[in-house]
Amino acid sequence: MTGLSDPRYRALAATQFSSVTPENAMKWERVEGNRHAHTWAAADAIARFATENDQKLRGHTLVWHDQLPRWLTDGHFTPAELRTLLRTHVTTLAQRYAGAVTAWDVVNEPLDDDGSPHRTLWHDALGSDYIAQVLTWAHAADPGARLYLNEFNVHEESPKTKALYNLAASLLDRGVPLHGIGFQCHLLLGQDVSELARTLNRFAELGLEVAITELGVRMLSPVTSAKLAAQAACYRAVVEECLAVPACTGLTIWGVGDAAAWVPEGSRSPYGSPTLYDDEYRPKPAREAVARALGTVP
Ligand code: XIL
């Protein structure tokens, strides 16, 4: 939710969605940019927004290698110190939003495309078992929240998808509190999503929930009506695949409108327009396609 100050954004976010996620406001650099000086206002406002609008709140994200505060990345901490810092961070956030957050993206993007663990501050200091530890800490802090691993580029079979499956299976085998897998789904127009439902089902067979957590379908500029139609078809396919999988608990679109979407976001990227509403918050063809797939349009 990066556009909350715009009344058009607020109105759509309040009325068109049954679940919200903060996008950035709960990331470590935002809640503790200065050590020991927490800034909760933005994250609290989103939690309040969800309550006021009777929406679920998806927490994002407890552990990631990106958007960390400088004091942490430049702090030259020992592994033992990093472990304590991480534990405190996870516990503080999960406790603060206990009861408000339905599900947490606990660990974000833990794997590389070749399936090996992504080498991060956390992995290097604590070893690959940091994932089991943070899930355990998060569960202790908020036993009611559904706990997810969240990953990108896993909507079809690949070395990364296989590694994620093996990781999830081994965590479950060990009794680690893992409840679901988030499939980010930042898609590029033209990408094949026909294997999505099958992939979701494979994870569901482990006894896990699954969710589409960051859906977007970006396109190369210029935007044309043909591209918008293809985008609508892609959105519709993804929604239908989630609906076809009983374990698919939800679908989050990464941004309300193209006006405040994270692609191209300040860069000169030729890609953009990933969401359901355009730069003026007018509905795009994809908006109707999603509504049709959900059965909310006659
Ligand atoms: C993005 C935000 O949307 C941007 O505003 C921010 O500048 C960078 O992060 N995968 C994730 C999200 O899990 O947290 C990222 O969000 C997009 C990619």
Side-chain angles (χ1 to χ4, degrees):
M1 304 194 88
T2 49
L4 261 190
S5 53
D6 186 325
R8 297 171 302 177
Y9 179 107
R10 283 188 85 88
L12 289 174
T15 59
Q16 303 297 302
F17 300 88
S18 57
S19 167
V20 294
T21 192
E23 187 167 355
N24 290 309
M26 289 184 183
K27 289 175 181 169
W28 201 332
E29 70 172 6
R30 299 292 178 97
V31 299
E32 200 185 1
N34 294 311
R35 195 169 179 193
H36 301 310
H38 285 92
T39 44
W40 298 113
D44 286 357
I46 290 166
R48 237 182 357 260
F49 185 91
T51 307
E52 282 164 11
N53 296 297
D54 200 17
Q55 293 164 316
K56 288 185 184 169
L57 176 61
R58 185 169 191 96
H60 179 84
T61 171
L62 293 175
V63 184
W64 197 24
H65 50 269
D66 210 348
Q67 293 184 274
L68 294 170
R70 289 286 295 273
W71 64 262
L72 177 63
T73 51
D74 297 351
H76 304 292
F77 295 107
T78 65
E81 287 169 334
L82 283 172
R83 185 176 190 277
T84 304
L85 286 165
L86 186 60
R87 182 174 190 160
T88 304
H89 175 73
V90 166
T91 305
T92 306
L93 250 98
Q95 278 179 349
R96 184 173 186 91
Y97 297 107
V101 161
T102 316
W104 270 108
D105 294 330
V106 178
V107 184
N108 199 29
E109 305 179 347
L111 298 172
D112 278 337
D113 277 345
D114 67 2
S116 53
H118 191 56
R119 295 287 302 275
T120 68
L121 184 66
W122 310 119
H123 183 270
D124 288 353
L126 313 178
S128 27
D129 208 44
Y130 82 93
I131 294 175
Q133 293 179 32
V134 297
L135 286 163
T136 306
W137 298 333
H139 186 59
D142 180 4
R146 310 301 286 164
L147 305 182
Y148 279 64
L149 302 179
N150 193 45
E151 190 52 274
F152 66 99
N153 268 351
V154 286
H155 60 279
E156 60 192 0
E157 209 35 74
S158 70
K160 190 183 201 180
T161 308
K162 197 174 170 51
L164 183 61
Y165 181 91
N166 292 339
L167 172 62
S170 89
L171 290 166
L172 292 173
D173 268 355
R174 292 167 55 195
V176 173
L178 171 69
H179 308 120
I181 302 293
F183 295 75
Q184 290 188 5
C185 292
H186 292 289
L187 302 170
L188 173 61
L189 191 66
Q191 242 177 301
D192 178 18
V193 290
S194 59
E195 277 190 42
L196 178 61
R198 179 143 47 97
T199 311
L200 297 176
N201 268 320
R202 281 195 60 228
F203 284 85
E205 281 160 15
L206 289 172
L208 290 166
E209 299 172 3
V210 292
I212 310 299
T213 51
E214 303 185 18
L215 180 59
V217 184
R218 67 190 184 280
M219 60 183 73
L220 198 55
S221 65
V223 174
T224 63
S225 50
K227 288 182 198 170
L228 290 173
Q231 181 185 52
C234 182
Y235 263 103
R236 181 169 189 155
V238 173
V239 173
E240 285 175 349
E241 292 188 87
C242 173
L243 289 172
V245 174
C248 189
T249 57
L251 186 146
T252 300
I253 294 165
W254 206 246
V256 169
D258 294 339
W262 80 292
V263 280
E265 206 184 57
S267 69
R268 297 223 182 94
S269 163
Y271 294 98
S273 312
T275 73
L276 303 184
Y277 295 88
D278 71 10
D279 282 332
E280 299 295 333
Y281 292 101
R282 290 174 301 225
K284 292 159 63 182
R287 193 267 169 211
E288 191 185 336
V290 168
R292 281 190 185 283
L294 291 172
T296 51
V297 164

